[in-house]
Amino acid sequence: MNIALLFAGGIGTRMNSRALPKQFLEIHGKPIIIHTLEHFEAHPDIDGIAIAILPEYRQHLMKLLKRYEIEKVRWVVDGGKTGQESRHNALKTVAADCPEDAIVLIHDGVRPLIDAKLISANIETVREHGSAITCTKFNETVVSSEHEHIDDVIPRDHIYAAQAPQSFRLGQILSLYDRAVAEDEHDTIDSCSLMHRYGEKIYRVVGPRSNIKITTAEDFYLCRTFFEIIENQQIVGT
C-alpha cells in the first residue's frame, strides 16, 4: 500500500498574499494544491491520499476536491502549529487505517511540478532501501558565512538540496515523530532531518530541478514559467 501525505498547512507569510494561503493561489486557472494532487490522483500505484490542512480552510479544500474530482483523498487532517505537528497528525491518522509496512510519500502541497517518474522512483527506493529523499544536485558555489565575511567555500561535488517527496515505511517514520515529541522536540524542519537526527540510514532519489517549492512570490512566477514550458511542449510535441 502506497499513501501520499500532503502537507498543506502553511499560511504563506512569505508570499504576501492578501487573500488565500499560497496552496490555493491559481496557476493557469487551477489552484496549486490541485495541480499537486492530480499527479498522485493519476498515479496507478498511489492507493490513497492524506492532506494536513489548517482547520479554517478545510471546507474550502473539500469544495475544491469535489470540483476537480479528486477521489483518492481518504483523510483530511487538521494541521498543527508547526510543520512537524501537522505531519505527525496526518501520520497518526493514516496509521489508524493502514499497516506499518505501508509506504508513505510525504510531499509539500506547494510542489506542483512533481511527476509520475519521481513518484515511482520514491516508491521503488523505499521498497529496496526503506527510505527515499528526493534531492537535486546543487550547482551553485556553496559558502559558509557566520558574519559578513565568507568563512569557507565548500566543494559542491557531493552537495545536494533535499526536496520532496520524502518517503518511508509508515511504522518507522511515525515512531520517530513519536520519539521527537517524547523528547520535547516539536519543530524539526522535515522528515529527512528527523531520520538523520536519530541515526537512520536515508537514501536519495535524484529529482528534476523544476520540482520547486512555492514559498515566495519569485517561486510562484518561476513555477508559472515551468508550467508554460510544459504546456508548449505538449502543443508542439517535443
Side-chain angles (χ1 to χ4, degrees), residues 8-225:
I11 58 175
T13 54
R14 284 173 285 180
M15 180 65 73
N16 293 322
S17 171
R18 297 180 180 179
L20 293 171
K22 56 192 174 183
Q23 58 266 29
F24 297 121
L25 298 179
E26 292 190 356
I27 294 179
H28 286 198
K30 188 181 296 182
I32 292 168
I33 183 67
I34 296 298
H35 281 294
T36 307
L37 281 165
E38 285 180 338
H39 292 290
F40 294 100
E41 177 77 16
H43 198 287
D45 293 335
I46 295 297
D47 301 299
I49 301 171
I51 306 175
I53 191 81
L54 290 174
E56 56 265 39
Y57 294 105
R58 173 188 283 263
Q59 289 304 315
H60 184 67
L61 173 66
M62 299 305 292
K63 290 177 182 178
L64 292 177
L65 297 179
K66 183 177 181 180
R67 175 182 175 185
Y68 291 98
E69 299 180 340
I70 306 296
E71 299 178 348
K72 286 186 180 180
V73 174
R74 293 175 54 185
W75 308 273
V76 178
V77 183
D78 288 348
K81 295 179 180 179
T82 65
Q84 176 185 313
E85 188 175 337
S86 295
R87 293 186 294 270
H88 195 191
N89 289 349
L91 287 168
K92 288 186 288 186
T93 300
V94 170
D97 296 327
C98 298
E100 288 190 349
D101 65 349
I103 294 174
V104 57
L105 292 81
I106 303 175
H107 191 65
D108 302 300
V110 288
R111 283 190 195 270
L113 289 163
I114 188 175
D115 56 29
K117 181 179 179 181
L118 185 53
I119 293 172
S120 295
N122 269 261
I123 293 171
E124 289 305 314
T125 302
V126 175
R127 286 174 178 167
E128 184 175 355
H129 297 295
S131 64
I133 306 299
T134 302
C135 301
T136 187
K137 197 75 176 67
F138 211 91
N139 291 330
E140 305 286 354
T141 298
V142 183
V143 302
S144 66
S145 176
E146 186 175 353
H147 301 290
E148 292 184 0
H149 65 278
I150 292 174
D151 299 312
D152 195 12
V153 178
I154 303 170
R156 67 186 184 191
D157 294 349
H158 305 291
I159 300 295
Y160 292 80
Q163 299 182 327
Q166 298 183 0
S167 308
F168 316 90
R169 294 290 182 182
L170 175 58
Q172 181 189 27
I173 192 62
L174 176 57
S175 69
L176 297 185
Y177 273 87
D178 289 342
R179 181 177 173 183
V181 171
E183 296 178 0
D184 203 30
E185 173 57 67
H186 301 281
D187 198 18
T188 51
I189 189 170
D190 61 5
S191 303
C192 175
S193 302
L194 202 59
M195 289 281 285
H196 179 71
R197 169 177 176 161
Y198 291 121
E200 300 290 342
K201 186 169 286 188
I202 39 185
Y203 291 82
R204 62 176 167 82
V205 172
V206 177
R209 291 180 59 82
S210 59
N211 182 35
I212 62 173
K213 180 180 178 181
I214 300 176
T215 302
T216 66
E218 289 81 3
D219 299 328
F220 177 84
Y221 293 119
L222 179 59
C223 183
R224 192 167 67 180
T225 299

